Amino acid sequence: MSLASLAVIANSGTLTERLGALHTRLLETVPMVDRIACALYEAKDDQLKTFINSTRTGEAIAGYEASLSNSHALSQLAQSGDFRVLDDIASAIHSDTAHSQWLKAQGYQSSFTVPLFDHGRLLGFIFFDSCQRAAFTPQVQRDLVLYTSLISMMISSEIATIRAMIESTKLARELTELRDFETGAHLDRMARYSRLIARAIAPLHGLNDEFVEGVYLFAPMHDIGKIGIPDRILLKPGRLDPEERVIMDSHVAKGVEIIERIIGKEGDRHFPESELLRNIVQCHHEMLDGSGYPQGLSGEAIPIEARVVAVADIFDALTAHRPYKQEWSLDDAFAELHRLSAQGKLDADCVNALVNQRAAVEDIHARYTDSQPDHAVRA
Ligand SMILES: [Fe+2]
Ligand SMILES: [Fe+2]
């Protein structure tokens, strides 16, 4: 197998598809690798999160998150940059975290773990697992080096693309008369609410962690089109008249335009996740009963990522302080979400997913607070 053919695999499809294709190739030379998984590290929260996996034997684990500092072994790898070989997992792992228990239950006997770095920053880890004992001999480790660097390149270039997109939208926002039309805290919170919801409904909709992370990363861009709305409307304290409302609602179309300028109309080919981003920007005001805008889509025609973001966005708008309104209690806001889902406007699964995770919601609400609430504008 040539390097060129591997490079082709590493360049097409979603990350999950690409990892699966690389795994197929890898099995030709190293048949004992039963699972390849990558976890992503988020330094801000010290969290390590399941991200993409290719699992041939055993049951895939998804939606798992733990703080890196709780794992002594992985923290050491992150610091030293070394890899770790476990020849006998059962005797090497003594912790009883949900992850360790899951690992043992899968029947994996040995593993090979490599930390991933991007410009010196920890990006995450790649885990290779095998149902054979002591599968990762020095010879096998050498064979895996190429795959490790391909996977690392794949992930870091994807993340660099996403970061560049986020940066350019931030820049676009700053350049527009240096206006702060959404507080950073609103975006922090609604992205995290979106992730809570996406993770909870993932099994229902057959969504993977890559999708969940995409929703989390892109949710804050839902209102990027507001940079095209004049201040007199965006910051107006009172009710909007019908003409102003039309201009305000055009933030959706403007947002789609901005996204297309950034990723290019052909963006999907190089960047499959761009569809996720576009759907969030384009459909976050659509309602299940067709009463939303701009297209009046209904039911299943509204992409699930947009239904998730709509619930998170409305919930945060209700529970946040805004200059023109009091903040609602969590209970009142939950009741309102239930009312909107009973009316057929919001997705009931998404609403329940949020309401059922009250402790996590309270934590997010308390942790990410607005330092300058006066900058916030209408939802
Ligand atoms: Fe919006
Ligand atoms: Fe918002």
Side-chain angles (χ1 to χ4, degrees), residues 182 186 222-223 313:
E182 290 276 38
H186 165 63
H222 65 284
D223 268 344
D313 193 34

Side-chain angles (χ1 to χ4, degrees), residues 162-270:
I162 293 174
R163 279 210 191 109
M165 275 167 54
I166 292 174
E167 283 311 310
S168 48
T169 54
K170 268 191 198 151
L171 184 68
R173 209 156 70 170
E174 280 163 18
L175 287 177
T176 316
E177 300 164 41
L178 299 167
R179 288 186 308 171
D180 198 1
F181 60 81
E182 290 276 38
T183 68
H186 165 63
L187 302 179
D188 276 339
R189 287 188 305 260
M190 63 82 63
R192 284 173 171 80
Y193 295 143
S194 299
R195 180 162 59 184
L196 281 184
I197 298 169
R199 202 177 270 165
I201 62 158
L204 274 176
H205 292 267
L207 307 170
N208 59 19
D209 287 330
E210 183 183 358
F211 181 92
V212 173
E213 276 316 294
V215 169
Y216 169 65
L217 285 169
F218 295 140
M221 287 149 97
H222 65 284
D223 268 344
I224 186 67
K226 282 188 180 166
I227 62 179
I229 305 298
D231 277 352
R232 67 180 167 83
I233 295 172
L234 196 65
L235 306 172
K236 184 178 175 181
R239 231 172 209 291
L240 298 182
D241 66 34
E243 203 182 308
E244 291 167 334
R245 183 35 76 187
V246 170
I247 296 173
M248 184 66 184
D249 291 355
S250 74
H251 78 274
V252 172
K254 289 185 161 65
V256 173
E257 228 172 86
I258 291 168
I259 296 302
E260 279 174 357
R261 292 271 290 276
I262 293 171
I263 56 182
K265 283 201 195 276
E266 308 287 305
D268 316 51
R269 238 184 291 154
H270 311 290

